[in-house]
Amino acid sequence: MTKIKIGIVGGAGYTGGELLRILVNHPNADIVFVHSNSNAGNPIYKVHTDLIGSTDIIFSSELSSAIDVLFLCVGHGDAIKFLRANPIESHIKIIDLSQDFRIEKEGNDFIYGLPELQRDKIKNAKNIANPGCFATAIQLGLLPLAAEKVLTSDVHVSGITGSTGAGQSLSQTSHFSWRNNNMSVYKALNHQHLKEIRQSLKNLQSSLDKNIHFIPYRGDFTRGIIATMYTPCSWTIEEAVAKYKAYYASHPFTHVVDENIDLKQVVNTNNCLLYLEKHGDQLMIVSIIDNLLKGASGHAVQNMNLMFGLEETTGLRLKAASF
């Protein structure tokens, strides 16, 4: 069995930990190094205690070029700094989980890694910019509309994310005493993921000139995203469901369901579930994902599988922890 030799930079955070949890059980993965300056010399399971008994890998302060793919699980702005300071040999593919390369512009050779939008480009890509978590949930809710060129009015979106979406570093809004039994709005109408969402939608509907009004919330739970969108649409609910199911028919992780959904159905999986309702002329779409898996590390492994010619679902057939 062919093994993909893997390096990970930023392995001590939430996305690094989730990536390791997947890769230690991935049949085609050979983890060569996990880089962390602050944890060099420590066993991975000392930081990610859920991996006790699963691996004896030690965090390293050194990089190796004896790899096929490098995952960058670093903070926003840090990926581009890392690559400037550490030139990567040409044979190594890169999958970046930060936002540094998601927006298309001259000189950016990273392909935006949303398989439900551009699977064929990902298969032939050298470098991948992994989508953001809110961006993934919202785009998957809207792509079928853009594909049919029917996004002709403003879209209103509200979304709630778990505390892991803020990363592992402590802040005022990530302490248990603040987060527990609490909610708040942040970055209203100005969230950073709006740029990549618009970019993807315009990829399918170039004439798109309407606004996406997005209100994000901090939730009092650990992981998961639930996003609700509504916009005018002339389709009947039966037509909408049929078109959504047709769009995602060949995509193994996105499922359109006929009954209302809840977060526990996707937490611990790489799945996105979509549920539709029609209210007057408004089509409502509910989208749920695990922000650390389909919203980050699981999505990154899905992209790796495509880049290396593997079955897209390899290592990602994960069951939800629904009770």
Side-chain angles (χ1 to χ4, degrees):
M1 182 180 294
T2 303
K3 295 283 188 177
I4 302 167
K5 296 187 180 300
I6 295 167
I8 300 171
V9 173
Y14 287 140
T15 57
E18 284 299 275
L19 185 61
L20 285 162
R21 182 169 73 88
I22 297 168
L23 292 178
V24 295
N25 293 303
H26 192 294
N28 298 88
D30 178 13
I31 303 171
V32 174
F33 69 84
V34 182
H35 182 273
S36 173
N37 287 324
S38 60
N39 288 283
N42 291 327
I44 283 172
Y45 63 77
K46 289 287 187 180
V47 174
H48 302 298
T49 56
D50 57 325
L51 293 177
I52 291 173
S54 296
T55 179
D56 294 320
I57 295 175
I58 305 296
F59 282 111
S60 173
S61 61
E62 303 296 325
L63 304 173
S64 170
S65 61
I67 57 173
D68 302 307
V69 61
L70 180 67
F71 288 91
L72 298 180
C73 300
V74 296
H76 303 313
D78 291 335
I80 193 166
K81 292 177 185 176
F82 175 85
L83 293 176
R84 285 173 178 166
N86 300 276
I88 303 302
E89 294 193 15
S90 60
H91 72 277
I92 298 172
K93 299 177 186 289
I94 300 171
I95 300 176
D96 175 34
L97 279 75
S98 81
Q99 67 180 15
D100 292 7
F101 300 100
R102 292 174 187 162
I103 303 304
E104 297 171 0
K105 58 183 178 182
E106 187 176 352
N108 180 7
D109 63 349
F110 282 69
I111 296 297
Y112 188 70
L114 187 65
E116 292 82 358
L117 177 64
Q118 43 192 20
R119 179 190 277 149
D120 289 341
K121 286 186 177 181
I122 294 167
K123 288 180 179 179
N124 297 299
K126 183 177 184 294
N127 300 325
I128 291 290
N130 216 58
C133 51
F134 263 132
T136 296
I138 294 168
Q139 288 174 96
L140 293 179
L142 297 176
L143 287 181
L145 296 173
E148 295 284 339
K149 312 294 191 291
V150 296
L151 282 175
T152 54
S153 299
D154 286 2
V155 181
H156 294 267
V157 185
S158 61
I160 306 175
T161 186
S163 60
T164 52
Q168 201 170 39
S169 299
L170 285 176
S171 66
Q172 179 183 351
T173 57
S174 62
H175 281 281
F176 175 83
S177 57
W178 187 93
R179 200 94 182 198
N180 188 48
N181 296 323
N182 201 9
M183 285 184 65
S184 67
V185 171
Y186 73 108
K187 298 181 180 178
L189 305 176
N190 193 35
H191 196 277
Q192 67 272 16
H193 289 181
L194 284 169
K195 291 181 180 179
E196 61 188 279
I197 293 168
R198 289 193 65 85
Q199 175 179 268
S200 294
L201 296 177
K202 286 180 72 68
N203 186 298
L204 293 175
Q205 183 178 332
S206 59
S207 63
L208 179 70
D209 61 356
K210 300 303 179 181
N211 291 319
I212 302 170
H213 305 286
F214 175 37
I215 307 294
Y217 295 83
R218 301 179 181 96
D220 66 341
F221 49 91
T222 302
R223 58 196 295 165
I225 282 176
I226 181 166
T228 305
M229 303 142 252
Y230 64 92
T231 190
C233 181
S234 63
W235 299 339
T236 66
I237 188 60
E238 291 80 12
E239 289 172 331
V241 169
K243 289 180 182 293
Y244 269 69
K245 287 185 175 181
Y247 185 94
Y248 290 116
S250 65
H251 296 285
F253 293 112
T254 303
H255 307 281
V256 183
V257 300
D258 298 323
E259 296 182 359
N260 205 350
I261 50 182
D262 60 83
L263 270 182
K264 282 190 174 183
Q265 292 174 271
V266 296
V267 169
N268 198 49
T269 80
N270 198 54
N271 291 333
C272 172
L273 297 187
L274 300 172
Y275 169 71
L276 311 180
E277 289 184 359
K278 192 74 187 291
H279 297 274
D281 69 338
Q282 300 288 320
L283 178 65
M284 183 188 80
I285 309 105
V286 183
S287 175
I288 55 174
I289 64 169
D290 185 316
N291 60 293
L292 293 179
L293 287 171
K294 186 58 173 167
S297 302
H299 202 143
V301 173
Q302 182 181 356
N303 283 323
M304 181 193 78
N305 289 341
L306 290 170
M307 294 169 79
F308 287 90
L310 301 178
E311 168 59 41
E312 195 168 344
T313 59
T314 304
L316 292 170
R317 295 187 178 277
L318 307 170
K319 180 192 176 298
S322 59
F323 55 85

